[in-house]
């Protein structure tokens, strides 16, 4: 029988492999190790047959995830203890685990089979609910297949909005439909019937997609059709403007959530925080209006405080406000590398003396 230490190591390794398969990181997706890529020939084309594609994908995902516990048993038997394949030598706890793992897989396969033979797949049920309340072409009596055909036709158009990089978990907005794909189902809402509410937002210092600071918005999608369950879509604030252009209904922001839609806006916040941590300097002279915006008083002075040899002392009087200096600093950076802005340098807008973030100080 295997040692406890070997079992622990094997469990950790298998858990990491499962995590990469269930929620694949960018590197795994780039290598093509996803259910969508492995079963591409069977799934077909998402662009041509959106509903049929995701009906197959969600079924395959459920079976694959349900097979992972059994895969653990097989992996332990292959690499650590071959006695697991001999029922006479296998301990009772392992036998119970094997029965449980096989039961989970059997239930998943049975459920997928039931979905396919009775047209009771969750996606199909949602389409039937939309049809049943007359949300799509009232009075026409169109079957769910007609709705699927209409969605497929709109999804084929190149002007649809799409958000998200994880396979199987994306948001699409066409002329008439809002679609959110998930691991086991797809949420569908008819645009003329929906009410959209901005629920909350979250700030992230590093986005896994861009390696830069990001703000993510959560928008609640509710339908006037009571049979259609509400759902939430999550997207980067940088995509918010594009989303609104594709939506028919306005997005209600009852909580007055501040939306930072550009990387520059987020950098300016970080720029102000850095200035606050640099300390303040005294200035005995007159303080004039910022020569950048001519709306607020000058508020900063460039004073060399860093140890970098390339930075030099600036002798200009205070002439800029924090926001204008921040915008100037951004304009002098490599726009394709926002992750490097904070550690970069810029020439003074007046005398061209080189300075970095540590040299920007607020006035007393």
């Amino acid at each position: 029988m295997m040692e406890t230490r070997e079992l622990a190591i094997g469990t950790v390794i298998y858990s990491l492999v499962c995590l990469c398969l269930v929620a694949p990181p960018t590197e795994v997706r780039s290598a093509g190790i996803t259910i969508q890529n492995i079963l591409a020939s069977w799934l077909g084309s998402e662009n041509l047959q959106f509903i049929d594609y995701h009906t197959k994908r969600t079924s395959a995902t459920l079976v694959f995830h349900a097979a992972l516990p059994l895969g653990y048993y097989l992996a332990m038997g292959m690499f650590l203890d071959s006695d697991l394949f001999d029922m006479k030598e296998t301990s009772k706890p392992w036998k119970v685990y094997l029965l449980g793992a096989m039961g989970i897989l059997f239930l998943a396969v049975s459920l997928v089979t039931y979905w396919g033979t009775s047209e009771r797949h969750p996606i199909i049920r949602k389409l039937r609910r939309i049809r049943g309340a007359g949300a799509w072409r009232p009075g026409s009596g169109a079957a769910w297949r007609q709705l699927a055909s209409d969605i497929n036709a709109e999804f084929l158009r190149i002007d649809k909005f799409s958000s998200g990089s994880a396979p199987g978990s994306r948001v699409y907005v066409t002329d008439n439909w809002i679609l959110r794909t998930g691991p086991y189902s797809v949420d569908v809402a008819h645009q003329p019937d929906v009410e959209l509410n901005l629920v909350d937002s979250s700030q992230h210092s590093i986005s896994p997609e861009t390696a830069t600071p990001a703000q993510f918005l959560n928008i609640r999608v509710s339908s006037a059709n009571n049979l259609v369950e509400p759902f939430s879509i999550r997207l980067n604030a940088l995509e918010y403007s594009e989303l609104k252009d594709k939506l028919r209904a306005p997005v209600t922001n009852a909580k007055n959530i501040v939306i930072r839609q550009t990387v520059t806006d987020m950098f300016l916040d970080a720029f102000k925080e850095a200035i606050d941590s640099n300390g303040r300097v005294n200035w005995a002279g007159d303080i004039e209006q910022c020569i950048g915006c001519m709306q607020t008083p000058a508020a900063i002075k460039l004073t060399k405080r860093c140890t970098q040899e390339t930075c030099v002392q600036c002798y200009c009087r205070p002439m800029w406000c924090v926001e204008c200096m921040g915008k100037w600093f951004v304009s002098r950076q490599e726009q394709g590398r926002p992750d490097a802005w904070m550690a970069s340098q810029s020439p003074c807008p007046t005398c061209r003396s080189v300075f970095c973030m540590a040299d920007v100080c607020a006035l007393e």
Side-chain angles (χ1 to χ4, degrees):
M1 297 298 290
M2 71 184 78
E3 298 291 338
T4 303
R5 182 172 179 273
E6 294 176 342
L7 176 62
I9 295 175
T11 300
V12 171
I13 294 175
Y14 187 80
S15 299
L16 292 175
V17 172
C18 289
L19 182 61
C20 290
L21 295 175
V22 173
T26 304
E27 293 77 12
V28 174
R29 295 199 300 267
S30 300
I33 309 176
T34 63
I35 294 177
Q36 288 80 355
N37 289 331
I38 295 174
L39 301 178
S41 59
W42 176 68
L43 292 176
S45 171
E46 182 185 33
N47 287 329
L48 296 177
Q49 296 292 331
F50 178 84
I51 296 298
D52 185 57
Y53 174 91
H54 284 284
T55 299
K56 292 180 180 179
R57 178 192 62 79
T58 51
S59 298
T61 300
L62 178 61
V63 173
F64 175 76
H65 289 175
L68 292 178
L70 181 59
Y72 172 74
Y73 184 92
L74 297 176
M76 295 301 101
M78 291 174 61
F79 297 106
L80 296 181
D81 189 355
S82 59
D83 289 343
L84 292 178
F85 297 136
D86 185 351
M87 290 296 102
K88 294 181 180 179
E89 299 294 333
T90 304
S91 63
K92 185 176 181 179
W94 276 112
K95 289 180 180 178
V96 173
Y97 177 87
L98 177 60
L99 288 175
M102 294 178 65
I104 292 174
L105 180 58
F106 174 77
L107 289 175
V109 173
S110 300
L111 181 60
V112 169
T113 303
Y114 170 71
W115 285 350
T117 57
S118 63
E119 294 188 348
R120 296 291 296 174
H121 192 282
I123 298 177
I124 297 176
R125 291 205 304 267
K126 290 177 180 180
L127 294 180
R128 281 177 168 166
R129 289 170 187 162
I130 294 176
R131 183 208 64 177
W136 175 251
R137 297 178 182 175
S140 67
W144 70 266
R145 293 185 184 276
Q146 181 60 48
L147 271 68
S149 177
D150 293 331
I151 293 174
N152 291 339
E154 289 194 14
F155 191 83
L156 188 58
R157 300 172 187 170
I158 62 174
D159 62 340
K160 62 180 176 290
F161 168 84
S162 61
S163 174
S165 60
S169 298
R170 304 198 67 189
V171 174
Y172 302 100
V173 180
T174 66
D175 291 340
N176 290 291
W177 301 96
I178 299 176
L179 311 164
R180 186 194 68 171
T181 64
Y184 311 118
S185 186
V186 173
D187 291 303
V188 183
H190 191 210
Q191 277 225 54
D193 300 332
V194 301
E195 177 182 330
L196 303 160
N197 292 281
L198 183 57
V199 179
D200 56 42
S201 68
S202 57
Q203 304 287 341
H204 297 265
S205 56
I206 296 180
S207 167
E209 299 174 3
T210 61
T212 59
Q215 178 190 28
F216 288 90
L217 307 176
N218 292 316
I219 300 175
R220 187 73 167 172
V221 181
S222 304
S223 176
N225 179 355
N226 294 328
L227 296 178
V228 178
E229 297 179 0
F231 58 92
S232 296
I233 59 177
R234 186 172 185 266
L235 72 157
N236 195 310
L238 298 177
E239 302 170 315
Y240 183 65
S241 178
E242 183 182 354
L243 171 68
K244 289 198 301 181
D245 292 340
K246 197 63 180 176
L247 292 172
R248 291 190 181 186
V251 179
T252 303
N253 187 2
K255 297 182 179 180
N256 294 322
I257 297 173
V258 178
I259 302 174
R260 298 174 175 84
Q261 298 188 42
T262 66
V263 177
T264 300
D265 290 337
M266 290 182 284
F267 172 80
L268 290 177
D269 287 341
F271 186 80
K272 294 173 184 177
E273 292 178 4
I275 292 176
D276 290 339
S277 65
N278 288 344
R280 295 178 175 269
V281 296
N282 292 317
W283 177 256
D286 296 334
I287 297 180
E288 302 176 355
Q289 292 292 100
C290 168
I291 63 174
C293 62
M294 298 300 293
Q295 295 180 354
T296 58
I300 60 170
K301 175 77 171 68
L302 298 180
T303 303
K304 180 171 170 57
R305 293 192 171 186
C306 68
T307 58
Q308 298 186 63
E309 296 181 357
T310 52
C311 292
V312 297
Q313 176 62 44
C314 172
Y315 295 99
C316 297
R317 70 179 190 278
M319 292 186 290
W320 300 84
C321 66
V322 175
E323 186 165 345
C324 288
M325 181 59 79
K327 291 179 179 178
W328 166 261
F329 192 93
V330 168
S331 69
R332 309 302 296 179
Q333 307 307 315
E334 184 179 348
Q335 298 304 302
R337 291 288 311 282
D339 55 312
W341 290 356
M342 293 295 291
S344 299
Q345 298 172 314
S346 169
C348 168
T350 307
C351 70
R352 297 299 187 266
S353 298
V354 177
F355 69 94
C356 64
M357 293 289 296
D359 301 330
V360 185
C361 302
L363 299 179
E364 287 283 5

